[in-house]
Amino acid sequence: MAVKDKEVLMEADHVKVYFKGKTRKAPPVKAVDDVSFSIMKGETFGVVGESGCGKSTLGRTLIRLLDSTEGHIYLSGEDIAGMRGSQLKQMRKKAQIIFQDPSACLNPRRTVKQILMEPFEIHNMTGQMDVDARIMELLNLVGLDAYHLSRYPHELSGGQKQRIGIARALALEPELIICDEAVSALDVSVQAQVLNLLQELKEKLGLTYFFISHNLNVVYQVSDRVGVMYLGKMVEIADCDQLYEKRYHPYTEALLSAIPQVGEEHRTERIRLKGEVPSPSNPPSGCRFHTRCPKACEKCSQQMPELKEVEPGHFVACHLY
Ligand code: SF4
């Protein structure tokens, strides 16, 4: 699922992430189930889906915060799924993560300077470079200054805390950053500032983002391509503009119909999905969406649809196409 004439930075190849059930006899929770896609160098690949669809699990697996059960993950051509020890540590320099809740991911007992020092300490780099100068550079990159160095996280606003989270992710000059609901916990006005900052940093530093959000509106604003996930599966992947013009999967259609539009000509009728999202430990047979799909037919409950290219660069997993 690469894009023509663009370099692949990361490739997920039939990745599965299963967790043990609550009891020994309980079936495994299939959080991510046989997902394949590529992230191109310099792009923002957005991932949307309801809570519990597996998007955060997938993001964490891509940088080995979680181990995959099956499949391969290639970063710049190297399979990272089986990496251990120093190899894994080196890989972590290339791929970093920004978490959803900036309050929970910063150590409350450490100052901003100590927090930003951590990546250099972990990688034994404190003797090899002027870390103080690099920390100042990182603070400036995210719009903060020397005043913040001696502050503790509780003395900062939500937006400032997230800027520290971004600075820490940038410390080792990664190529890929997983943004895991990076603006969801912030006020709307601060969300816009942080999104603008992420965009500026992407252009300035040539970064690649894997941008996870439950909010399709936010994903649209920042992404070049979008992947739609439902119950552990990638059901549609397309260029952002392509998806806006024409979506094929009934689930994507329902998600998009929920975005408020300005102007009569853009307004579409809201599609309300019936029923709850099924449990990932006992997913429906065939197409996982068939229990809620308004267009389901008999085949849908029996046969799992494959992700197929329906037009150049546009992939859909649905028996209708
Ligand atoms: Fe709906 Fe069937 Fe397509 Fe699944 S395969 S999305 S159930 S029409």
Side-chain angles (χ1 to χ4, degrees), residues 249-250 287 289-290 293 295-297 300 305 317-320:
H249 202 282
C287 172
F289 188 53
H290 86 259
C293 180
K295 297 181 180 171
C297 60
C300 301
C318 175
H319 290 310
L320 297 176

Side-chain angles (χ1 to χ4, degrees), residues 113-185:
K113 183 172 179 181
Q114 288 167 332
I115 289 168
L116 293 180
M117 187 73 85
E118 260 173 30
F120 303 104
E121 289 169 345
I122 291 167
H123 288 270
N124 301 322
M125 292 165 75
T126 47
Q128 301 164 19
M129 60 192 289
D130 185 349
V131 177
D132 285 349
R134 176 70 182 141
I135 287 175
M136 270 317 300
E137 194 185 331
L138 289 168
L139 276 182
N140 292 334
L141 270 176
V142 297
L144 299 176
D145 55 40
Y147 165 82
H148 298 97
L149 281 175
S150 56
R151 304 271 84 83
Y152 285 88
H154 73 270
E155 298 176 276
L156 304 174
S157 67
Q160 287 170 335
K161 278 186 250 189
Q162 194 56 300
R163 284 170 193 263
I164 299 298
I166 295 170
R168 183 174 57 182
L170 292 174
L172 302 173
E173 301 182 45
E175 289 181 66
L176 173 70
I177 297 190
I178 310 290
C179 304
D180 186 5
E181 300 275 7
V183 296
S184 306

Side-chain angles (χ1 to χ4, degrees), residues 60 99-109 115 153-154 158 161-162 165 168 185:
R60 285 161 199 228
F99 293 101
Q100 174 177 5
D101 185 356
S103 303
C105 71
L106 303 179
N107 187 336
R109 293 196 182 84
I115 289 168
H154 73 270
K161 278 186 250 189
Q162 194 56 300
R168 183 174 57 182

Side-chain angles (χ1 to χ4, degrees), residues 233 283-290 298-305 319:
K233 292 272 187 196
S285 59
C287 172
R288 293 202 168 168
F289 188 53
H290 86 259
E298 211 184 317
K299 188 180 177 189
C300 301
S301 59
Q302 293 159 1
Q303 213 176 310
M304 176 97 73
H319 290 310

Side-chain angles (χ1 to χ4, degrees), residues 25-217:
K25 286 188 180 162
V29 177
K30 297 175 177 176
V32 176
D33 202 9
D34 204 0
V35 165
S36 298
F37 62 96
S38 303
I39 305 172
M40 315 314 291
K41 206 174 167 80
E43 79 169 343
T44 298
F45 187 97
V47 179
V48 273
E50 289 160 293
S51 297
C53 71
K55 53 193 188 306
S56 289
T57 303
L58 176 61
R60 285 161 199 228
T61 308
L62 291 182
I63 55 164
R64 289 288 312 280
L65 288 184
L66 292 170
D67 286 334
S68 53
T69 311
E70 260 180 52
H72 300 279
I73 300 164
Y74 300 97
L75 177 60
S76 302
E78 272 188 292
D79 191 356
I80 64 166
M83 281 185 181
R84 300 270 175 274
S86 60
Q87 240 191 340
L88 187 57
K89 204 169 161 183
Q90 285 307 312
M91 181 283 287
R92 293 237 161 89
K93 282 188 186 174
K94 292 188 197 166
Q96 288 287 322
I97 185 164
I98 301 166
F99 293 101
Q100 174 177 5
D101 185 356
S103 303
C105 71
L106 303 179
N107 187 336
R109 293 196 182 84
R110 305 200 104 192
T111 62
V112 166
K113 183 172 179 181
Q114 288 167 332
I115 289 168
L116 293 180
M117 187 73 85
E118 260 173 30
F120 303 104
E121 289 169 345
I122 291 167
H123 288 270
N124 301 322
M125 292 165 75
T126 47
Q128 301 164 19
M129 60 192 289
D130 185 349
V131 177
D132 285 349
R134 176 70 182 141
I135 287 175
M136 270 317 300
E137 194 185 331
L138 289 168
L139 276 182
N140 292 334
L141 270 176
V142 297
L144 299 176
D145 55 40
Y147 165 82
H148 298 97
L149 281 175
S150 56
R151 304 271 84 83
Y152 285 88
H154 73 270
E155 298 176 276
L156 304 174
S157 67
Q160 287 170 335
K161 278 186 250 189
Q162 194 56 300
R163 284 170 193 263
I164 299 298
I166 295 170
R168 183 174 57 182
L170 292 174
L172 302 173
E173 301 182 45
E175 289 181 66
L176 173 70
I177 297 190
I178 310 290
C179 304
D180 186 5
E181 300 275 7
V183 296
S184 306
L186 305 173
D187 291 343
V188 178
S189 60
V190 183
Q191 273 188 17
Q193 292 168 15
V194 174
L195 288 175
N196 287 341
L197 173 66
L198 287 171
Q199 194 59 33
E200 275 169 32
L201 291 170
K202 181 187 163 193
E203 280 157 27
K204 201 184 266 182
L205 306 174
L207 296 167
T208 303
Y209 293 140
F210 184 76
F211 194 94
I212 300 163
S213 179
H214 64 278
N215 186 336
L216 195 51
N217 233 343

